[in-house]
């Protein structure tokens, strides 16, 4: 069967060319759809890994807090340094657990940004985990076991980051967004305080000017 080669005035292409163009467009559409599916699967996988690692890290923080409490409770000799050391462990582990739990309150994120900004970096969190492990290892058998578990958890975090780059990009983006949100909230508070202070100064200046005018008219 023969057909005539017809030129479409709008596109300037032959009918056969239109068919080829339609085939290419369909192939591109299929490829785009497959790429979107793959991206969605990777994002879902990274999100699942992120949730699992957060649960493990929160559990680790709870164990560290338990170590501090255990150290205080079992302090038979009533040494003050043991109490202080245990309180340090409890406070640090609670801060770590609160950060890993992602406290939704802006005041918490701003406090972390001011006082423990290194937690917004995965390297900073890793060093802090190792630091906590070194502290609890000197707290008897329980501290030694939980310290070794903390070191193992740090190694697990490194392995997961190296093996799953999508997960690494996700936690990196999340930390950047948290830090950016904390900075913006701090700037808003500073601007509000500055505006309130300026308004108060203006009120006082106006009051002084009014009092001066009143005294002049009174005299």
């Amino acid at each position: 069967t023969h057909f005539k080669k017809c030129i479409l005035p709008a596109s300037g292409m032959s009918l056969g060319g239109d068919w080829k163009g339609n085939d290419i467009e369909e192939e591109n559409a299929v490829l785009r759809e497959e790429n979107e599916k793959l991206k969605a699967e990777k994002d879902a996988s990274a999100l699942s890994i992120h949730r699992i690692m957060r649960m493990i890290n929160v559990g680790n923080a709870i164990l560290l807090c338990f170590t501090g409490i255990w150290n205080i409770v079992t302090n038979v000799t009533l040494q003050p340094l043991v109490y202080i050391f245990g309180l340090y462990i409890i406070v640090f582990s609670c801060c770590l657990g609160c950060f890993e739990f992602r406290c939704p309150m802006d005041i918490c994120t701003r406090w972390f940004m001011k006082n423990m900004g290194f937690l917004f970096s995965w390297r900073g969190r890793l060093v802090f985990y190792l630091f906590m492990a070194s502290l609890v290892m000197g707290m008897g058998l329980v501290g030694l076991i939980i310290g070794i578990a903390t070191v193992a958890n740090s190694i697990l975090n490194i392995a997961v980051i190296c093996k799953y780059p999508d997960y690494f990009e996700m936690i990196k983006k999340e930390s950047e967004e948290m830090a950016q949100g904390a900075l913006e909230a701090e700037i808003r508070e500073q601007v509000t305080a500055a505006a309130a202070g300026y308004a108060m100064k203006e009120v006082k200046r106006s009051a002084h000017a009014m009092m001066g005018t009143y005294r002049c008219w009174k005299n």
Side-chain angles (χ1 to χ4, degrees):
T1 307
H2 300 281
F3 59 87
K4 291 184 179 180
K5 198 174 184 181
C6 129
I7 304 295
L8 297 177
S11 61
M13 294 177 62
S14 67
L15 189 58
D18 279 345
W19 286 348
K20 289 182 180 179
N22 291 335
D23 291 341
I24 293 174
E25 288 179 2
E26 289 177 1
E27 290 177 1
N28 289 335
V30 171
L31 289 174
R32 281 195 298 268
E33 187 177 351
E34 290 178 354
N35 288 333
E36 289 176 359
K37 287 182 179 178
L38 289 174
K39 187 177 182 300
E41 290 176 359
K42 286 183 178 180
D43 291 342
S45 176
L47 183 60
S48 299
I49 295 170
H50 185 35
R51 288 173 178 171
I52 293 170
M53 295 307 299
R54 277 179 59 187
M55 291 174 59
I56 293 173
N57 291 335
V58 170
N60 194 356
I62 293 172
L63 290 176
L64 290 170
C65 184
F66 169 78
T67 307
I69 296 171
W70 179 263
N71 191 48
I72 292 174
V73 171
T74 57
N75 183 19
V76 183
T77 57
L78 303 179
Q79 296 180 4
L81 288 177
V82 176
Y83 288 112
I84 295 172
F85 201 62
L87 286 174
Y88 266 110
I89 297 297
I90 293 170
V91 172
F92 286 159
S93 59
C94 286
C95 291
L96 184 60
C98 184
F99 183 85
E100 291 288 359
F101 193 72
R102 301 294 188 270
C103 181
M105 298 175 63
D106 286 341
I107 190 171
C108 294
T109 310
R110 282 162 45 203
W111 186 89
F112 281 120
M113 192 66 188
K114 286 181 180 178
N115 302 283
M116 304 179 76
F118 57 87
L119 290 178
F120 290 89
S121 167
W122 71 272
R123 294 184 182 89
R125 290 195 297 274
L126 175 63
V127 171
F128 192 62
Y129 272 112
L130 295 176
F131 170 71
M132 293 290 291
S134 66
L135 290 180
V136 300
M137 279 183 179
M139 295 182 170
L141 180 60
V142 174
L144 181 62
I145 293 172
I146 294 178
I148 293 173
T150 303
V151 173
N153 182 38
S154 302
I155 296 172
L156 175 64
N157 275 270
I158 296 173
V160 171
I161 286 173
C162 293
K163 187 173 181 180
Y164 300 99
D166 295 327
Y167 163 71
F168 172 69
E169 291 297 328
M170 178 175 287
I171 61 173
K172 184 179 177 182
K173 183 179 179 181
E174 183 185 36
S175 297
E176 289 175 354
E177 289 177 353
M178 288 176 64
Q180 184 67 25
L183 287 173
E184 290 176 357
E186 183 65 21
I187 290 171
R188 283 196 301 269
E189 183 181 0
Q190 294 294 334
V191 169
T192 304
Y198 177 76
M200 186 59 66
K201 288 180 181 178
E202 287 296 314
V203 169
K204 289 180 178 179
R205 187 180 66 80
S206 299
H208 285 305
M210 291 172 66
M211 286 299 296
T213 305
Y214 171 74
R215 285 171 184 170
C216 288
W217 280 99
K218 186 178 180 181
N219 294 331

